[in-house]
Amino acid sequence: EETPYHPAVDQALLCEIRKKSPEGVMSISSGAPVSIEHATTTLNMPLIHNHFFMDVMTNQVRERPIDRTVHPKGTGAFGYFEVTHDISDVCRAKLFNEIGKRTPVAVRISPATAERGASELARGVRGFAIKFYTEDGILDFPGLNLDKFFSREPTQFVKFAHSLRRDPAVYIHNPLKLLDTILQVPESLNMLIDMFGDRGIPKSYRHISHHNIHTMQVENAYGDTSFIRFHCLPDEGHQFLTDAEIAEINLADPDYYTRDLHDSIKKGDFPNWTCYVQIATEEDAKRLGFRLFDVTRKLPEDEFPLYPVGKMVLNRNPKNVFAEVEQLAFCPGNLVDGINGGPDRVFQARRFSYNDAHLYRLGPHVKEIPVNCPFQGRNVNPDSVNSEPVSWKPQQKGLLKVVPEDISNFDQARDTYENMSEGEKTRLHGSLIGLLTPASPSVRNGMIELFEAIHPDLGGTLAERFNSTMTR
Ligand code: HEM
């Protein structure tokens, strides 16, 4: 059955219909026709009286949407999440219950800092945001393709974001700023070692994972608390490009990943992911304390195995990128019954920051924008004249109190390095040499000391390359 056309929702179709209107009829943007004479006469009359002229000119000035402060260049697609394993004994959120249940999703994938017109192939971390349109309202998981974040302190996010942007004084990129930030936030290397390894340049957006990163506090129907980390791994496997390959593609196509995702969906080759949760108990939380919630660390899979929950399929391209992708607004604070949120500080900061960003970028009616609307939700704020309000008693407990600790992550970075193939180690050395080459000897030696602490082979290889006296 065809979905009924709704002009307010379906802006792309509306556009098509407008194009089919009788030739020669021009209109102002609110639809009313204007005569050719009125539309083209701008001479000998105050322009402010020419509604068509004012309409066209003011729209042109405002037609570019405000960029996201990070992740400004992105691509989107739509599909569904389907439950394959019921985890209602752990989490009562409806999207995870009932094998076979499908929840519609919107996905936006984006390089973290590439500007709108820049290449999306540059080495870096990718945002992978999922919006679930659940029966209980919107659930947003704005995650990453890597399984950890670079900092456990929210204000350092701003420092990182600035160090990856153009230097405001000369408006060119300054690679030394990133090194300066890494020296101040050495725990970031646990994530950055992935980024400078093969995962930094995926083969396509179909070959990357989604990691929600935060350990989320959840509840089952009886109010019992557990903790989950959510991941989706690509069924096509992780695949990568080399620096040499991207150099070649870049010249031809800086929108390579967007094109690939769009073309695969268009020809019916739908990208798909298998989704998992790692599950921890309240006892695990007591035993591990902050370690369970530290976003700069992944949860070890031998201790917390990946438990399958569902699959995600993207099977529809946007019909209108502005309406459906640019206006998408993800907020980690958009949660549903059964998922209480992440007890860590980064989560708490994000809960505030994204809403703030949406108010600035999209305005106060952000939730009424069709793509952000909880269209599956049943909450209608009933008016008391025509209906009896149904009371709902949330059973939700407060979030666990978690105190951040200063833990070194180099044990995980060391494991990552040791588990790399010889080929990947060589490629990692190459990209780190590229990173350190423009640095002063003191900054370079500071960095080499950190790499030495991660693994003597890694520090030693870099020291030899730069004839550093800091290491062997
Ligand atoms: C304190 C830490 C962080 C702050 C303050 C922060 C802030 C922001 C802001 C303001 C935006 C733009 C939102 C918009 O305009 O719609 C954004 C985008 C994004 N952030 Fe963060 N972020 C932080 C950490 C993270 C982490 C840990 C992740 C992954 C788990 C993440 C993933 C994303 C993604 C995927 C987007 C793009 C969403 C989209 O496609 O619309 N961020 N972030």
Side-chain angles (χ1 to χ4, degrees), residues 68-71 108 110 127-129 142-144 149 154 157 211-214 328-330 346 349-350 353-354 357-358 361:
R68 289 164 175 82
T69 171
V70 280
H71 303 265
R108 184 172 181 271
S110 50
F128 191 135
L144 300 176
F149 194 54
F157 160 82
H211 299 282
N212 184 40
I213 309 249
H214 300 278
L328 265 171
F330 299 90
V346 170
R350 296 180 72 203
S353 178
Y354 289 61
H358 300 155
R361 183 165 72 81

Side-chain angles (χ1 to χ4, degrees), residues 275-311:
C275 304
Y276 303 85
V277 284
Q278 291 178 287
I279 305 172
T281 61
E282 284 187 290
E283 284 67 44
D284 293 321
K286 276 190 204 130
R287 186 170 52 84
L288 292 172
F290 179 64
R291 251 167 212 265
L292 188 62
F293 302 96
D294 187 347
V295 290
T296 64
R297 298 177 68 82
K298 64 177 179 184
L299 289 190
E301 279 170 34
D302 48 357
E303 208 175 337
F304 300 102
L306 292 177
Y307 185 84
V309 281
K311 61 178 182 177

Side-chain angles (χ1 to χ4, degrees), residues 186-190 297 407-415 449-451 453-455:
E187 66 267 28
S188 62
L189 282 172
N190 196 28
R297 298 177 68 82
I407 307 167
S408 159
N409 289 318
F410 290 177
D411 57 322
Q412 287 202 348
R414 184 173 310 125
D415 284 351
E449 267 183 32
L450 293 177
F451 288 121
I454 289 173
H455 201 289

